[in-house]
Amino acid sequence: METIQSIRGTKDILPSDVIKWQDLETTARKISACYGYQEIRTPIFEKTEVFSRGVGNNTDIVNKEMYTFDDRSGLSLTLRPEQTASLVRSVIQNNLILENIPTRLFYIGSYFRYERPQKGRLREFHQYGIECINSSYPESDVEVILLAIDFIKQLGITEYKLKLNSIGNTETRDKYKTSLTEYLQQNKNKLSIESQARIDTNPLRVLDSKNNTDMEIITSAPSILDYLDNESNEHFNKVKEMLDSANLNYEITPNLVRGLDYYSHTVFEFQSTYLGAQDAFGGGGRYNNLFSQLGGKDIPSVGFAMGIERLLLILEQIKGNNANQKVDVLLCSTSSDYLKYVTEISSLIRHNCPDMACITDVNRRSLKSLLREANKLNVRYVIIIGDSEVANNTITLKYMQENKEQITIDKNKLIEILLS
Ligand code: AMP
């Protein structure tokens, strides 16, 4: 019978890679806790309108990339393409907003977009992200960016670019859209078909185009920064001032608008030259209108999302691919008759040394081949149980990493030695 393959654009995370995922997740959890962010987990699918209303009907995500299907009752459901909209749905539904107090949340999960798979672009991918909900002040924008930078640094990534922009408030964007549309109309014939189609539906998205001739036109497009009103300018200046005083480098990028409709004011993106075409490994921004789009009252908020696969691609290039399984003890016996004694000793180790990984032989292999395996796994100790060990209630302990010395000891002494 033919074997079954996984779906294009999805990846198994194999045991040899899982350690790297766990390390990254541990760093994410630690840094989140350190800044006072608590974890939230929402369902993987939602009513489609969470995303059509939240992310925006004219975005690529909603138009082209969502996994949407009717369930058996005819209800339209969608696999979450990102977290913020469903998180906001949950915050409203569960009344997680407190008067004048921020709600700080983080998440780690998988997301689904029907995109053309390539290096660093999958149809199921994973993100770590945070949201600082219920503060309109630039302090919260800066908190979120600082957390992101601390996270990146703690992972060991030092070379990256932080791109920063402000897309102002709704009035700013309305005025800017009018000028941008006019400019794009004048240059319509030179634009790609895709960008031409966006002029009327979502002109800001033309600025995201990676098409070479589009990019030439975009370079001379009006800059949104010239359209910021006083309130928007003041907000942006404060963000820049605080980043400056923290000695952080950033690059003002007027064409950075990001793909989702819900952003306002500060937007930012992290880029790495290690990634090739898909060079953004994280991004975020302020969203002041998303709550009202999802039926709540306006709650100003700001957050970011980092792509875990892309972070791991960067780390692989910086640190190499050398995560190994950690095994401390390999327990072998010279005969299957000693199974009871082997189980007694392995339980003794597992219950008293919970930080040690202890494996036993379950294939009844020869001592010679087990020792070969122990070397391959870089095991610290091999424990050998043979006739005399069982008869005398002892075990033989072989030090595999130091002098390869071998000692026979009373079984009651074992834990003391392993923990020393
Ligand atoms: P976005 O929500 O599009 O701003 O995405 C935030 C981050 O998620 C990006 O910077 C990427 O690192 C990651 N990401 C987005 N889409 C994909 C994808 N299709 N495959 C892998 N990573 C992705």
Side-chain angles (χ1 to χ4, degrees):
M1 213 187 284
E2 224 177 281
T3 56
I4 303 170
Q5 303 294 307
S6 60
I7 296 165
R8 192 163 119 85
T10 67
K11 259 194 183 156
D12 298 313
I13 303 165
L14 300 176
S16 54
D17 284 325
V18 131
I19 297 169
K20 290 180 267 177
W21 283 75
Q22 288 169 339
D23 284 350
L24 187 145
E25 287 163 12
T26 302
T27 307
R29 285 175 202 288
K30 271 198 197 142
I31 198 84
S32 303
C34 177
Y35 276 74
Y37 284 71
Q38 290 182 298
E39 183 169 1
I40 184 165
R41 301 183 190 191
T42 65
I44 282 185
F45 55 86
E46 296 273 351
K47 288 184 186 157
T48 299
E49 62 185 311
V50 169
F51 308 111
S52 52
R53 271 160 61 181
V55 178
N57 261 325
N58 287 323
T59 57
D60 276 2
I61 292 183
V62 173
N63 270 340
K64 300 195 285 198
E65 296 168 4
M66 292 207 305
Y67 280 91
T68 298
F69 55 96
D70 286 351
D71 74 3
R72 286 169 194 270
S73 72
L75 186 65
S76 178
L77 303 180
T78 294
L79 299 185
R80 59 187 187 187
E82 57 102 57
Q83 180 65 76
T84 307
S86 23
L87 183 145
V88 166
R89 190 271 309 138
S90 171
V91 167
I92 298 171
Q93 183 177 338
N94 296 293
N95 282 321
L96 298 187
I97 300 287
L98 299 167
E99 187 85 22
N100 228 349
I101 297 179
T103 302
R104 295 183 165 97
L105 299 172
F106 82 91
Y107 57 85
I108 296 174
S110 52
Y111 302 89
F112 306 85
R113 295 184 194 171
Y114 190 78
E115 293 190 89
R116 196 168 44 79
Q118 65 180 87
K119 187 180 164 203
R121 191 161 69 190
L122 293 143
R123 289 182 172 170
E124 183 195 24
F125 60 98
H126 298 76
Q127 290 183 337
Y128 155 57
I130 67 157
E131 312 289 356
C132 180
I133 290 161
N134 202 12
S135 162
S136 61
Y137 294 109
E139 291 85 310
S140 54
D141 306 40
V142 173
E143 173 176 300
V144 162
I145 295 174
L146 288 181
L147 193 160
I149 291 177
D150 277 350
F151 170 63
I152 296 165
K153 275 197 198 144
Q154 281 193 22
L155 290 179
I157 300 173
T158 48
E159 278 173 58
Y160 63 87
K161 231 184 233 169
L162 166 58
K163 299 204 156 183
L164 185 70
N165 193 23
S166 170
I167 55 169
N169 54 22
T170 317
E171 293 79 54
T172 300
R173 281 194 304 286
D174 284 347
K175 270 198 223 146
Y176 176 64
K177 270 185 202 165
T178 311
S179 303
L180 179 66
T181 307
E182 216 170 275
Y183 171 81
L184 294 174
Q185 284 293 2
Q186 283 161 12
N187 293 282
K188 189 168 178 177
N189 295 339
K190 297 181 217 150
L191 289 171
S192 64
I193 306 284
E194 219 176 14
S195 289
Q196 288 186 18
R198 283 184 177 141
I199 297 179
D200 293 321
T201 53
N202 195 349
L204 289 185
R205 289 286 285 118
V206 177
L207 302 178
D208 273 346
S209 170
K210 295 274 184 287
N211 175 292
N212 281 341
T213 43
D214 283 358
M215 276 155 70
E216 260 172 53
I217 308 285
I218 293 162
T219 323
S220 313
S223 159
I224 196 161
L225 295 175
D226 296 331
Y227 291 76
L228 297 185
D229 60 9
N230 283 344
E231 181 221 347
S232 303
N233 246 324
E234 208 175 294
H235 187 98
F236 195 38
N237 285 338
K238 274 271 174 290
V239 170
K240 288 186 288 185
E241 251 170 53
M242 283 186 274
L243 290 177
D244 290 338
S245 62
N247 269 331
L248 294 172
N249 291 325
Y250 53 87
E251 206 172 273
I252 301 290
T253 314
N255 290 338
L256 178 72
V257 290
R258 308 210 5 96
L260 321 178
D261 270 0
Y262 52 62
Y263 287 114
S264 48
H265 294 286
T266 317
V267 287
F268 55 91
E269 204 158 83
F270 291 97
Q271 290 184 355
S272 165
T273 47
Y274 286 108
L275 287 174
Q278 300 302 317
D279 61 355
F281 61 90
R286 171 162 285 288
Y287 50 96
N288 289 351
N289 309 318
L290 180 55
F291 275 83
S292 55
Q293 275 166 37
L294 290 174
K297 55 178 192 185
D298 264 340
I299 304 285
S301 304
V302 54
F304 72 70
M306 298 269 172
I308 296 183
E309 283 84 356
R310 293 193 194 167
L311 286 166
L312 291 174
L313 276 176
I314 300 173
L315 289 173
E316 205 176 292
Q317 291 182 64
I318 300 174
K319 298 184 174 174
N321 199 356
N322 52 10
N324 285 320
Q325 185 188 13
K326 171 183 166 282
V327 177
D328 299 289
V329 182
L330 176 64
L331 237 166
C332 345
S333 68
T334 53
S335 157
S336 57
D337 293 342
Y338 304 145
L339 198 60
K340 206 164 144 249
Y341 195 68
V342 167
T343 308
E344 184 192 331
I345 301 295
S346 58
S347 298
L348 190 72
I349 298 171
R350 288 169 183 154
H351 297 162
N352 290 286
C353 313
D355 291 335
M356 284 192 155
C358 166
I359 58 175
T360 58
D361 168 43
V362 288
N363 298 88
R364 302 189 179 180
R365 288 156 64 194
S366 70
L367 195 56
K368 196 171 153 203
S369 90
L370 287 167
L371 284 172
R372 219 180 297 130
E373 162 126 358
N375 274 324
K376 214 166 84 193
L377 290 172
N378 211 14
V379 163
R380 276 183 76 191
Y381 308 103
V382 168
I383 291 178
I384 303 162
I385 290 167
D387 304 347
S388 74
E389 282 83 1
V390 176
N392 302 315
N393 269 324
T394 56
I395 58 104
T396 293
L397 184 70
K398 191 172 169 66
Y399 290 84
M400 299 298 290
Q401 285 179 2
E402 291 113 51
N403 44 16
K404 304 250 166 165
E405 187 194 356
Q406 188 169 309
I407 52 171
T408 299
I409 51 164
D410 193 285
K411 73 173 179 197
N412 297 324
K413 287 265 162 17
L414 174 64
I415 296 304
E416 195 185 317
I417 292 181
L418 292 182
L419 291 176
S420 66

